[in-house]
mmCIF file of all heavy atoms in Angstrom:
data_model
loop_
_atom_site.group_PDB
_atom_site.id
_atom_site.type_symbol
_atom_site.label_atom_id
_atom_site.label_comp_id
_atom_site.label_asym_id
_atom_site.label_seq_id
_atom_site.Cartn_x
_atom_site.Cartn_y
_atom_site.Cartn_z
ATOM 1 N N ALA A 1370 12.820 14.703 12.523
ATOM 2 C CA ALA A 1370 12.812 14.951 13.962
ATOM 3 C C ALA A 1370 14.201 14.738 14.560
ATOM 4 O O ALA A 1370 14.629 15.485 15.449
ATOM 5 C CB ALA A 1370 11.795 14.039 14.647
ATOM 6 N N ASP A 1371 14.910 13.713 14.079
ATOM 7 C CA ASP A 1371 16.284 13.477 14.543
ATOM 8 C C ASP A 1371 17.173 14.688 14.256
ATOM 9 O O ASP A 1371 18.038 15.054 15.067
ATOM 10 C CB ASP A 1371 16.869 12.237 13.871
ATOM 11 C CG ASP A 1371 16.323 10.941 14.463
ATOM 12 O OD1 ASP A 1371 15.876 10.967 15.625
ATOM 13 O OD2 ASP A 1371 16.361 9.909 13.763
ATOM 14 N N GLU A 1372 16.961 15.318 13.114
ATOM 15 C CA GLU A 1372 17.740 16.503 12.766
ATOM 16 C C GLU A 1372 17.430 17.662 13.704
ATOM 17 O O GLU A 1372 18.332 18.394 14.134
ATOM 18 C CB GLU A 1372 17.464 16.905 11.313
ATOM 19 C CG GLU A 1372 17.929 15.879 10.291
ATOM 20 C CD GLU A 1372 17.559 16.267 8.873
ATOM 21 O OE1 GLU A 1372 17.005 17.358 8.675
ATOM 22 O OE2 GLU A 1372 17.851 15.466 7.942
ATOM 23 N N LEU A 1373 16.139 17.832 14.036
ATOM 24 C CA LEU A 1373 15.762 18.887 14.970
ATOM 25 C C LEU A 1373 16.401 18.659 16.340
ATOM 26 O O LEU A 1373 16.844 19.603 17.008
ATOM 27 C CB LEU A 1373 14.237 18.952 15.112
ATOM 28 C CG LEU A 1373 13.430 19.347 13.876
ATOM 29 C CD1 LEU A 1373 11.933 19.322 14.202
ATOM 30 C CD2 LEU A 1373 13.837 20.716 13.368
ATOM 31 N N ILE A 1374 16.452 17.381 16.751
ATOM 32 C CA ILE A 1374 17.042 17.047 18.053
ATOM 33 C C ILE A 1374 18.533 17.367 18.071
ATOM 34 O O ILE A 1374 19.037 18.020 18.985
ATOM 35 C CB ILE A 1374 16.797 15.555 18.383
ATOM 36 C CG1 ILE A 1374 15.302 15.302 18.583
ATOM 37 C CG2 ILE A 1374 17.577 15.147 19.643
ATOM 38 C CD1 ILE A 1374 14.937 13.831 18.656
ATOM 39 N N THR A 1375 19.261 16.915 17.066
ATOM 40 C CA THR A 1375 20.717 17.146 17.016
ATOM 41 C C THR A 1375 21.054 18.625 16.877
ATOM 42 O O THR A 1375 22.135 19.058 17.280
ATOM 43 C CB THR A 1375 21.354 16.353 15.864
ATOM 44 O OG1 THR A 1375 20.707 16.709 14.625
ATOM 45 C CG2 THR A 1375 21.214 14.851 16.083
ATOM 46 N N MET A 1376 20.132 19.407 16.314
ATOM 47 C CA MET A 1376 20.349 20.852 16.172
ATOM 48 C C MET A 1376 20.042 21.607 17.466
ATOM 49 O O MET A 1376 20.244 22.826 17.541
ATOM 50 C CB MET A 1376 19.477 21.397 15.042
ATOM 51 C CG MET A 1376 19.898 20.939 13.651
ATOM 52 S SD MET A 1376 18.651 21.332 12.379
ATOM 53 C CE MET A 1376 18.686 23.138 12.450
ATOM 54 N N GLY A 1377 19.535 20.887 18.470
ATOM 55 C CA GLY A 1377 19.246 21.512 19.746
ATOM 56 C C GLY A 1377 17.980 22.343 19.756
ATOM 57 O O GLY A 1377 17.834 23.274 20.556
ATOM 58 N N LEU A 1378 17.031 21.984 18.887
ATOM 59 C CA LEU A 1378 15.792 22.752 18.769
ATOM 60 C C LEU A 1378 14.630 22.134 19.557
ATOM 61 O O LEU A 1378 13.512 22.636 19.506
ATOM 62 C CB LEU A 1378 15.388 22.879 17.292
ATOM 63 C CG LEU A 1378 16.399 23.599 16.390
ATOM 64 C CD1 LEU A 1378 15.908 23.616 14.952
ATOM 65 C CD2 LEU A 1378 16.635 25.022 16.893
ATOM 66 N N ILE A 1379 14.899 21.022 20.258
ATOM 67 C CA ILE A 1379 13.852 20.322 21.005
ATOM 68 C C ILE A 1379 14.197 20.339 22.496
ATOM 69 O O ILE A 1379 15.339 20.059 22.894
ATOM 70 C CB ILE A 1379 13.699 18.872 20.532
ATOM 71 C CG1 ILE A 1379 13.377 18.823 19.040
ATOM 72 C CG2 ILE A 1379 12.633 18.143 21.339
ATOM 73 C CD1 ILE A 1379 12.054 19.457 18.654
ATOM 74 N N SER A 1380 13.190 20.646 23.314
ATOM 75 C CA SER A 1380 13.384 20.582 24.767
ATOM 76 C C SER A 1380 12.309 19.714 25.385
ATOM 77 O O SER A 1380 11.195 19.611 24.869
ATOM 78 C CB SER A 1380 13.334 21.991 25.384
ATOM 79 O OG SER A 1380 12.033 22.548 25.245
ATOM 80 N N VAL A 1381 12.676 19.062 26.494
ATOM 81 C CA VAL A 1381 11.740 18.222 27.243
ATOM 82 C C VAL A 1381 11.734 18.718 28.681
ATOM 83 O O VAL A 1381 12.775 18.730 29.348
ATOM 84 C CB VAL A 1381 12.138 16.732 27.184
ATOM 85 C CG1 VAL A 1381 11.169 15.891 28.015
ATOM 86 C CG2 VAL A 1381 12.172 16.240 25.746
ATOM 87 N N ASN A 1382 10.559 19.157 29.121
ATOM 88 C CA ASN A 1382 10.406 19.693 30.474
ATOM 89 C C ASN A 1382 11.420 20.803 30.754
ATOM 90 O O ASN A 1382 12.025 20.886 31.841
ATOM 91 C CB ASN A 1382 10.537 18.583 31.522
ATOM 92 C CG ASN A 1382 9.464 17.522 31.368
ATOM 93 O OD1 ASN A 1382 8.337 17.817 30.941
ATOM 94 N ND2 ASN A 1382 9.797 16.276 31.695
ATOM 95 N N GLY A 1383 11.657 21.638 29.754
ATOM 96 C CA GLY A 1383 12.534 22.798 29.909
ATOM 97 C C GLY A 1383 13.999 22.516 29.656
ATOM 98 O O GLY A 1383 14.823 23.442 29.657
ATOM 99 N N LYS A 1384 14.376 21.268 29.378
ATOM 100 C CA LYS A 1384 15.777 20.907 29.162
ATOM 101 C C LYS A 1384 16.002 20.560 27.694
ATOM 102 O O LYS A 1384 15.285 19.747 27.129
ATOM 103 C CB LYS A 1384 16.156 19.715 30.034
ATOM 104 C CG LYS A 1384 17.580 19.229 29.833
ATOM 105 C CD LYS A 1384 17.850 17.993 30.687
ATOM 106 C CE LYS A 1384 19.263 17.458 30.438
ATOM 107 N NZ LYS A 1384 19.528 16.222 31.229
ATOM 108 N N THR A 1385 16.986 21.205 27.077
ATOM 109 C CA THR A 1385 17.308 20.922 25.674
ATOM 110 C C THR A 1385 17.875 19.511 25.540
ATOM 111 O O THR A 1385 18.779 19.118 26.294
ATOM 112 C CB THR A 1385 18.325 21.940 25.134
ATOM 113 O OG1 THR A 1385 17.739 23.243 25.189
ATOM 114 C CG2 THR A 1385 18.683 21.624 23.678
ATOM 115 N N ILE A 1386 17.338 18.769 24.598
ATOM 116 C CA ILE A 1386 17.759 17.384 24.371
ATOM 117 C C ILE A 1386 18.431 17.274 23.006
ATOM 118 O O ILE A 1386 17.878 17.706 21.989
ATOM 119 C CB ILE A 1386 16.561 16.420 24.422
ATOM 120 C CG1 ILE A 1386 15.849 16.526 25.779
ATOM 121 C CG2 ILE A 1386 17.017 14.986 24.156
ATOM 122 C CD1 ILE A 1386 16.684 16.121 26.962
ATOM 123 N N THR A 1387 19.636 16.722 22.986
ATOM 124 C CA THR A 1387 20.345 16.494 21.713
ATOM 125 C C THR A 1387 20.682 15.024 21.513
ATOM 126 O O THR A 1387 21.311 14.656 20.529
ATOM 127 C CB THR A 1387 21.645 17.320 21.678
ATOM 128 O OG1 THR A 1387 22.466 16.960 22.790
ATOM 129 C CG2 THR A 1387 21.352 18.804 21.708
ATOM 130 N N GLU A 1388 20.255 14.190 22.429
ATOM 131 C CA GLU A 1388 20.558 12.756 22.395
ATOM 132 C C GLU A 1388 19.544 11.996 21.532
ATOM 133 O O GLU A 1388 18.350 11.997 21.829
ATOM 134 C CB GLU A 1388 20.541 12.192 23.814
ATOM 135 C CG GLU A 1388 20.714 10.676 23.883
ATOM 136 C CD GLU A 1388 20.423 10.148 25.286
ATOM 137 O OE1 GLU A 1388 20.396 10.948 26.245
ATOM 138 O OE2 GLU A 1388 20.196 8.920 25.397
ATOM 139 N N LEU A 1389 20.015 11.353 20.455
ATOM 140 C CA LEU A 1389 19.145 10.529 19.627
ATOM 141 C C LEU A 1389 18.781 9.260 20.402
ATOM 142 O O LEU A 1389 19.631 8.659 21.057
ATOM 143 C CB LEU A 1389 19.826 10.166 18.319
ATOM 144 C CG LEU A 1389 20.145 11.339 17.386
ATOM 145 C CD1 LEU A 1389 20.829 10.832 16.113
ATOM 146 C CD2 LEU A 1389 18.877 12.099 17.029
ATOM 147 N N GLY A 1390 17.544 8.868 20.330
ATOM 148 C CA GLY A 1390 17.100 7.694 21.074
ATOM 149 C C GLY A 1390 16.553 8.036 22.441
ATOM 150 O O GLY A 1390 16.103 7.143 23.174
ATOM 151 N N TYR A 1391 16.569 9.299 22.811
ATOM 152 C CA TYR A 1391 16.020 9.740 24.091
ATOM 153 C C TYR A 1391 14.525 9.402 24.144
ATOM 154 O O TYR A 1391 13.799 9.555 23.164
ATOM 155 C CB TYR A 1391 16.229 11.242 24.259
ATOM 156 C CG TYR A 1391 15.847 11.786 25.619
ATOM 157 C CD1 TYR A 1391 16.761 11.789 26.671
ATOM 158 C CD2 TYR A 1391 14.585 12.315 25.848
ATOM 159 C CE1 TYR A 1391 16.426 12.294 27.917
ATOM 160 C CE2 TYR A 1391 14.235 12.819 27.093
ATOM 161 C CZ TYR A 1391 15.153 12.807 28.130
ATOM 162 O OH TYR A 1391 14.815 13.304 29.367
ATOM 163 N N LYS A 1392 14.068 8.938 25.311
ATOM 164 C CA LYS A 1392 12.669 8.558 25.462
ATOM 165 C C LYS A 1392 11.936 9.503 26.416
ATOM 166 O O LYS A 1392 12.531 10.012 27.373
ATOM 167 C CB LYS A 1392 12.552 7.115 25.957
ATOM 168 C CG LYS A 1392 13.031 6.088 24.943
ATOM 169 C CD LYS A 1392 12.753 4.672 25.403
ATOM 170 C CE LYS A 1392 13.159 3.661 24.326
ATOM 171 N NZ LYS A 1392 12.846 2.269 24.728
ATOM 172 N N VAL A 1393 10.656 9.702 26.117
ATOM 173 C CA VAL A 1393 9.849 10.622 26.927
ATOM 174 C C VAL A 1393 8.577 9.921 27.388
ATOM 175 O O VAL A 1393 8.126 8.938 26.781
ATOM 176 C CB VAL A 1393 9.472 11.884 26.126
ATOM 177 C CG1 VAL A 1393 10.713 12.664 25.760
ATOM 178 C CG2 VAL A 1393 8.660 11.532 24.890
ATOM 179 N N ASN A 1394 7.997 10.454 28.468
ATOM 180 C CA ASN A 1394 6.695 9.999 28.930
ATOM 181 C C ASN A 1394 5.607 10.768 28.179
ATOM 182 O O ASN A 1394 5.833 11.911 27.756
ATOM 183 C CB ASN A 1394 6.546 10.248 30.440
ATOM 184 C CG ASN A 1394 7.443 9.349 31.256
ATOM 185 O OD1 ASN A 1394 7.360 8.133 31.166
ATOM 186 N ND2 ASN A 1394 8.321 9.967 32.054
ATOM 187 N N PRO A 1395 4.441 10.179 28.027
ATOM 188 C CA PRO A 1395 3.344 10.883 27.349
ATOM 189 C C PRO A 1395 2.977 12.203 28.034
ATOM 190 O O PRO A 1395 2.442 13.103 27.402
ATOM 191 C CB PRO A 1395 2.189 9.889 27.419
ATOM 192 C CG PRO A 1395 2.838 8.559 27.566
ATOM 193 C CD PRO A 1395 4.083 8.800 28.377
ATOM 194 N N THR A 1396 3.256 12.314 29.351
ATOM 195 C CA THR A 1396 2.898 13.520 30.100
ATOM 196 C C THR A 1396 3.984 14.592 30.072
ATOM 197 O O THR A 1396 3.772 15.693 30.568
ATOM 198 C CB THR A 1396 2.602 13.150 31.559
ATOM 199 O OG1 THR A 1396 3.741 12.445 32.103
ATOM 200 C CG2 THR A 1396 1.375 12.258 31.645
#
Side-chain angles (χ1 to χ4, degrees):
D1371 284 336
E1372 295 176 4
L1373 295 179
I1374 294 170
T1375 56
M1376 291 169 64
L1378 299 178
I1379 302 296
S1380 66
V1381 178
N1382 298 328
K1384 177 183 177 182
T1385 298
I1386 302 297
T1387 58
E1388 174 191 344
L1389 296 180
Y1391 187 87
K1392 293 187 176 182
V1393 297
N1394 291 302
T1396 55

